[in-house]
Amino acid sequence: LGYYTCGGVLKDERNKLVSRHGYYHTDTKLAEFKYNVVGTNEDTRMVGDTLTYNTDTKVAGIVGPTEIYYQDHADPDSVLTVIYSSLGWYDTQSDQAELLDHSLIVHDKHNFISSDTLFYDNKKGYGKMFNHMEMNDTTNKMILQGNYGFYQEDGEIMLATDSARIIDYSREDSTFAHADTLYSFAVNDTNKVALAYHNCRVFSKEYQAVCDSIVFNTVDSITHLLQIPILWQDSMQVTGDTIRIYPKNDEIDHIHVKGNAIIVQQEDTIHFDQISGKDIIGFVYEGLAM
């Protein structure tokens, strides 16, 4: 056993680790570092309070609050991805990490990903999340939640299943949508598309709806309710083949019901107003459909 207690360095062909206290077991090739730990290589920088490292496998064990910074090779002075974790491991050769205890990944300063268990491959640019997963796109103000998730940096692809929910907080009143599967991807820097598949439920202050599928586009903020959609607003019920919701100034401007359109509104306990047609366009005035 070799050790130091007043500052030291362990260095091999791949990594350099600096700490105040250090211990190295020659039989197991396992090193332990404590207090002001900093590990660096050509791709990453690790900062923490406690860390282990195997000089044979090049795997670092995360056993305390730790931050891992991945450099942007296009700009060596900037950081592309940061991992915050208190438990897990990081393979410094394959650039793969398995993180536990609700760890957090921040990519490109605006995509926040957290989960009870998280697998991340930096070289391939993707992550898998298990249990209490949340992916927050702060640029488009969209959150995906569920018990299983997948994220791919190329194209900003996000997938959520198992109690999946999407929250759009781009407006003053957030809109919540539940579905079996939620999927989103970036068309470009300013346009992101969100898709919801099967058993969809939508809840907002302005309306509620059910349908089979939903398509939402951030460039125009139009919500498309597909396959037997039903929409409720106050005492009004709207049905049709497709329902499109058009916003304006953070509120619903009008609703376009396309194909087999029917609007039913209850006047009192026994009277109902009904409108039907191939297409119906209903405008909203001061929160009420007209």
Side-chain angles (χ1 to χ4, degrees):
L1 174 66
Y3 66 92
Y4 56 83
T5 58
C6 296
V9 179
L10 185 147
K11 186 176 181 180
D12 61 16
E13 65 276 9
R14 174 64 180 168
N15 298 285
K16 177 182 178 181
L17 293 109
V18 181
S19 65
R20 196 167 74 191
H21 291 189
Y23 307 86
Y24 181 65
H25 303 267
T26 59
D27 54 346
T28 61
K29 309 299 182 183
L30 184 67
E32 302 174 43
F33 304 92
K34 294 183 178 180
Y35 311 119
N36 303 324
V37 183
V38 179
T40 56
N41 57 43
E42 61 180 7
D43 299 314
T44 61
R45 180 167 61 94
M46 302 181 66
V47 179
D49 180 74
T50 305
L51 197 72
T52 66
Y53 177 70
N54 190 299
T55 56
D56 272 352
T57 64
K58 314 302 182 188
V59 174
I62 301 170
V63 290
T66 303
E67 300 171 8
I68 304 175
Y69 299 87
Y70 293 89
Q71 291 182 330
D72 184 354
H73 291 290
D75 183 4
D77 295 327
S78 67
V79 175
L80 185 63
T81 303
V82 183
I83 290 176
Y84 301 89
S85 180
S86 296
L87 185 64
W89 57 262
Y90 167 59
D91 190 327
T92 62
Q93 293 190 114
S94 65
D95 256 357
Q96 294 178 344
E98 184 172 310
L99 312 169
L100 309 173
D101 199 21
H102 213 78
S103 300
L104 172 68
I105 295 178
V106 181
H107 178 67
D108 204 18
K109 297 181 180 180
H110 71 270
N111 284 321
F112 294 76
I113 303 169
S114 63
S115 181
D116 287 352
T117 302
L118 200 157
F119 175 82
Y120 178 67
D121 189 318
N122 181 60
K123 287 184 177 179
K124 296 181 180 179
Y126 78 89
K128 293 181 180 180
M129 291 72 69
F130 304 88
N131 295 326
H132 302 103
M133 175 276 302
E134 179 173 298
M135 293 181 281
N136 186 354
D137 181 354
T138 58
T139 299
N140 296 292
K141 296 184 177 181
M142 185 184 300
I143 297 175
L144 264 68
Q145 297 175 331
N147 284 314
Y148 172 77
F150 174 86
Y151 174 74
Q152 182 174 302
E153 294 168 2
D154 186 17
E156 296 187 17
I157 297 172
M158 296 181 179
L159 172 74
T161 62
D162 191 1
S163 303
R165 178 171 73 167
I166 186 170
I167 305 171
D168 173 23
Y169 61 98
S170 60
R171 301 189 295 164
E172 183 177 354
D173 294 313
S174 299
T175 299
F176 300 80
H178 297 260
D180 292 346
T181 303
L182 298 170
Y183 178 78
S184 70
F185 61 93
V187 178
N188 50 47
D189 293 338
T190 59
N191 184 15
K192 195 162 191 175
V193 176
L195 308 173
Y197 295 106
H198 310 310
N199 301 314
C200 300
R201 303 287 188 270
V202 183
F203 305 90
S204 73
K205 184 179 178 181
E206 298 171 305
Y207 70 94
Q208 296 79 45
V210 298
C211 61
D212 179 77
S213 306
I214 300 173
V215 178
F216 176 78
N217 197 314
T218 59
V219 73
D220 54 20
S221 297
I222 299 173
T223 301
H224 305 259
L225 308 179
L226 309 175
Q227 297 191 35
I228 317 176
I230 306 174
L231 182 145
W232 295 273
Q233 186 187 39
D234 295 327
S235 60
M236 181 182 67
Q237 175 178 291
V238 181
T239 61
D241 293 341
T242 300
I243 298 177
R244 298 190 181 104
I245 303 170
Y246 294 80
K248 184 179 180 180
N249 298 327
D250 291 335
E251 293 182 352
I252 294 178
D253 180 69
H254 66 279
I255 299 171
H256 182 193
V257 188
K258 188 174 180 61
N260 299 309
I262 300 175
I263 296 178
V264 180
Q265 186 162 13
Q266 187 173 8
E267 289 297 318
D268 51 42
T269 56
I270 60 174
H271 295 97
F272 293 83
D273 291 331
Q274 300 183 60
I275 303 173
S276 66
K278 292 182 179 179
D279 286 358
I280 295 178
I281 298 177
F283 289 87
V284 177
Y285 176 71
E286 293 185 352
L288 298 175
M290 299 295 290

